[in-house]
Amino acid sequence: MKLELLINQKIYALDVAPDEMLADTLRSKGFLSIRKGCDTSCCGLCTVWIDGKPVLSCTMLSFRVAGKAITTIEGIQPEAEKFARILAAEGSEQCGFCSPGFIMTVIAMKNELKNPTEQDIQHYLAGNLCRCTGYMGQMRAIKTYLRGEVQ
Amino acid sequence: MKWVGRSVSKIDGVAIATGKPLYTEDLTVPGTLVVKLLRSPHAFARIKSIDVAAAKQMVGVECVLTHQDVPQVRFTKAGQSFPEPSPYDRLILDPIVRYVGDEVAIVAAVDEKTALAALDLIKVEYEVFEPVLDLSSAIDHPSVVHPETDLHCNFPIGLEQQRNIASSHTVEVGDLAAELALCDVVVEETYKTQAQAQAMMETFRSFTYLDQAGRLVVISSTQIPFHVRRQLARALQIPATRIRVIKPRIGGGFGAKQTGVCEVYPAIVTLKTGKPAKVVYERKETFIASNSRHATEFKVRMGASHDGIIRAIEIVGLSDTGAYGEHAPTVFAVIGDKTMPLYNKTKAIRYQGHAVYTNKLPGGALRGYGATQGTFVQESTVNKLAAELGIDPTEIRLKNLIRETETSLYYKGKKLGSSSLHRCIETGKSMIGWDAKFPRIEQGSKVRGVGMAVTMQGSGIANIDTASAEIRLNDDGFYTVLVGSTDMGTGSDTILLQMAADVLNADMDQFIINAADTDVSPFDPGSYASSTTYVTGMAVKKAAEELRCKILEQAAKVLQAPADQLELSGEQCVDPASGKTVSVASIAAAAVVGPDHRQLSAYATFGSPVSPPPFVAGFAEVEVDKETGKVTLLDFVAVVDCGTVINPALARVQTEGGIVQGIGMALFEDVQYDKKGNLQSNSFMTYKIPGRSDVGIVRVAFEESYEPTGPFGAKSVGEVVINTPAPAIVAAIYNAVGVQISELPVTPEKVFKGMQQKS
């Protein structure tokens, strides 16, 4: 089916299958930060924003997001890099495979929550799994980022 | 310029974290065929007939292969230096399938949908056999998992095919029965550990194509490029000269990718079709059809005198290598090798047992590689012994543990080069607040308890792991480091550059690193066995030292001063006597122009006759709900001796990550099969890895020692950190509510039942 998708503020005229998921559409258009890690909608690797809110693109049908603003990490590189530098200073990107989805959720949280507690942060990020870091360094990086300290 | 000891950010960190296309699947090209595998629905069966006609006729399908279409030469997928200890018991496709998920057919098509549809069109008739699904009854089971006559071992490993024994192992020193008889107290316990999944976030994947010379190029998410090259040459029956293996960025490995799980499938498709091909495993495939930690069952006996001196230890049991024997003999050996030397006041020890074949997911490498299982059974028994003797668990360890320069029965004659383990215990005690909290604090229906355990691992495989490194001074005055180790997110590329930059006294920006590409890299077994910092690191350090000498020799000619009087200071070579300098850049430029010159480079190889153990003392504080049996981990303290800490931030995260993976094994990661051999815990919905709210607080401290044989005094940190959570948490539960859990993982049901039985 033909549709137009607004991805990172550009309009893409696409021909997608009715059962095509947004993650596949995005990868096919070269947004290679989008990864699938679980096939059961529970790892958070494929997180993008739909109208600014984090959404799992692996289980979002592409046709359903026509007319909405889709943002991938490619579309917010300066802010993503700012947090990534803090994350890397903690060594807490490790393999980096879950990082894009994680960073999309962290930045969405920063935009959405005012002065979140540690529990708020854990709750907001509950859907982002990481097998490398054990999460402690991620939390240190998030706190530094939210305090607005420059690395 | 000092780089060693600094928390330098990973050189690839920002790029990978912000989603740059650097991983295997990102590097595929348009027109790449998609490979899918038809997998066995039966745990044990023979393929009577297989009809692929309909699949082959489908538009878009380019290749369909069955066991009739592949070389019939057995090989092992285990990534080990030649001659591999693991048996050659695999075919690319075999007329006998040995577990649910075993490969039956390979399909390649223009896209994923077509490939999946083609799989559905393949008709297979099976003769189904009675599977071997229980570890304890596998030996001499009426079904023989490997009845074939062409199974091959490179050297004797105690394999007895007709009995389902993959390997046998015995280490025995002293008269165990006599020593146990002399002991005042003897404790005994039987344990079971589960087949933990590595669950790295990037599943298995490889991309293959033919290059301009018609050679097979394999870009793969692997920890073992050189071993994969050798495996593919044997499996595909082509010369290794025709194969190039490249490792890009990897999304985690944890040992899973120390086995050549998926490379051979796109490789054979590319050879048959001449076209690029890729395979990307789904998460379910990664759970059911790759490899996992070897499940084990062990009985431990341990005897001590009244004063708490451990005199005799016996560990006897089995490990489950599943359908294929990858890493079977070596994991089994490590269970004893990396645990029993800890307690060196023993007069007699015995470690004995078998790795056995069953019709389940093959065993493989997972961080810890047997030491995790060994630590759980031995440390749990030490805790039981301490309770029996009424001695504080930390005290019994301080009395019995090996110290620097001492030897053990297990490593006869080899002296321990470095250890701060006793200091690790003291520091950990103080951090967790042991004296105030041991053994328990009651708070109504909830009880808090503390428990602890210690562990060791190795640093590389003694007398086997040998890595080389080359460093070149380029024409523009910067350096290229070539190594074959495989940074899988650990940061090894970064810490190797820290070492090189330290020796050459230069800014890290002056270095590039290339790793790993079998066409370019010097040989390295790959990143496993906690080897990269210690083995590859030492090779890099030696190469850097040699290059430093060569640069100063050239500077000596220019400055007309003896080379040993000169200093290398960043971009300049300095003669302190005269104050004269010559730049490294000008030496580099001169070296590549004109006759009688040579580009400056250095090459070094390092292998070690020892595998220096890093140590951890781990402490857990838990809260047990007496009404439900639920265990909440409140605090975990890990104090680590990895020798010199090369990069504190990266070592800390490695430790935190390993501890949390160990917590997963202790509390959450339950492996469930149904009666027909289907692995039911096959997704993150049914196999729970720790999420960020599950792990309480994890705190890490380092007690540095100095390893005389290591680079800058360093040992290793990658694996040792996963071993203590299971025994420490189990001990904390025992200290809280008096329930001894001997089968992992701990579940509320097991704790609750234990409390019921007690009361």
Side-chain angles (χ1 to χ4, degrees), chain A residues 19 27 35 37-39 73 77 88-90 92-96 103 122 125 128 131-133 135-136 138 140, chain B residues 9-10 13 16-18 20 23 26 113 197-199 251-252 282-283 489 652-653 656-657 661 669 690 692 696:
Chain A
D19 61 349
R27 267 199 86 87
R35 287 138 198 183
C38 68
D39 308 328
I73 200 166
Q77 283 287 297
E90 289 289 348
S92 287
E93 78 286 27
Q94 286 261 295
C95 86
I103 292 179
Q122 281 185 348
L125 289 156
N128 290 88
R131 189 61 156 170
C132 292
T133 66
Y135 306 110
M136 303 293 138
Q138 292 186 349
R140 291 191 291 273
Chain B
S9 293
K10 249 150 51 84
I16 61 175
T18 53
K20 301 297 191 295
Y23 299 82
D26 307 337
K113 261 188 185 170
Q198 296 91 347
E282 294 166 3
R283 181 56 63 182
R652 181 185 187 185
V653 165
E656 290 168 344
Q661 221 168 13
E669 298 178 29
R692 65 189 70 235

Side-chain angles (χ1 to χ4, degrees), chain B residues 390-533:
Chain B
I391 299 177
D392 184 294
T394 60
E395 291 306 315
I396 198 167
R397 289 177 170 91
L398 292 170
K399 276 185 183 193
N400 284 285
L401 288 170
I402 190 168
R403 290 176 184 269
E404 268 179 12
T405 73
E406 291 181 357
T407 61
S408 68
L409 286 185
Y410 214 98
Y411 289 150
K412 308 161 223 156
K414 278 190 182 175
K415 287 184 178 174
L416 179 61
S418 61
S419 170
S420 66
L421 182 54
H422 288 72
R423 271 192 281 139
C424 292
I425 294 173
E426 298 290 1
T427 303
K429 265 181 94 167
S430 141
M431 284 174 71
I432 198 97
W434 182 267
D435 290 338
K437 292 175 179 170
F438 177 77
R440 80 184 65 83
I441 297 169
E442 305 252 5
Q443 290 170 318
S445 67
K446 300 202 170 149
V447 196
R448 292 185 173 192
V450 289
M452 62 90 61
V454 299
T455 189
M456 62 179 275
Q457 194 83 36
S459 304
I461 307 173
N463 295 311
I464 291 179
D465 281 350
T466 301
S468 296
E470 182 178 348
I471 308 182
R472 294 181 193 146
L473 178 61
N474 296 306
D475 53 332
D476 283 322
F478 67 97
Y479 302 96
T480 297
V481 176
L482 298 171
V483 289
S485 56
T486 48
D487 190 335
M488 67 194 102
T490 56
S492 64
D493 285 353
T494 303
I495 64 117
L496 293 173
L497 287 193
Q498 284 179 260
M499 293 185 196
D502 217 86
V503 173
L504 290 161
N505 202 12
D507 201 279
M508 274 184 71
D509 292 345
Q510 291 298 299
F511 290 81
I512 57 172
I513 185 164
N514 183 304
D517 175 345
T518 57
D519 271 11
V520 178
S521 311
F523 180 81
D524 194 296
S527 290
Y528 60 87
S530 294
S531 59
T532 303
T533 301

Side-chain angles (χ1 to χ4, degrees), chain B residues 22 58 351 480:
Chain B
L22 298 165
M58 201 173 160
Y351 174 55
T480 297

Side-chain angles (χ1 to χ4, degrees), chain B residues 12 43 78 95 112 118 213 216 245 248 256 261 281 307 317 348 352 368 401 465 527 573 643 661 712 740:
Chain B
D12 54 353
E112 186 177 12
L216 177 70
V245 181
V261 169
Y281 275 26
D307 56 357
Q352 197 271 322
L401 288 170
D465 281 350
S527 290
C573 302
Q661 221 168 13
F712 303 91
Q740 175 72 48

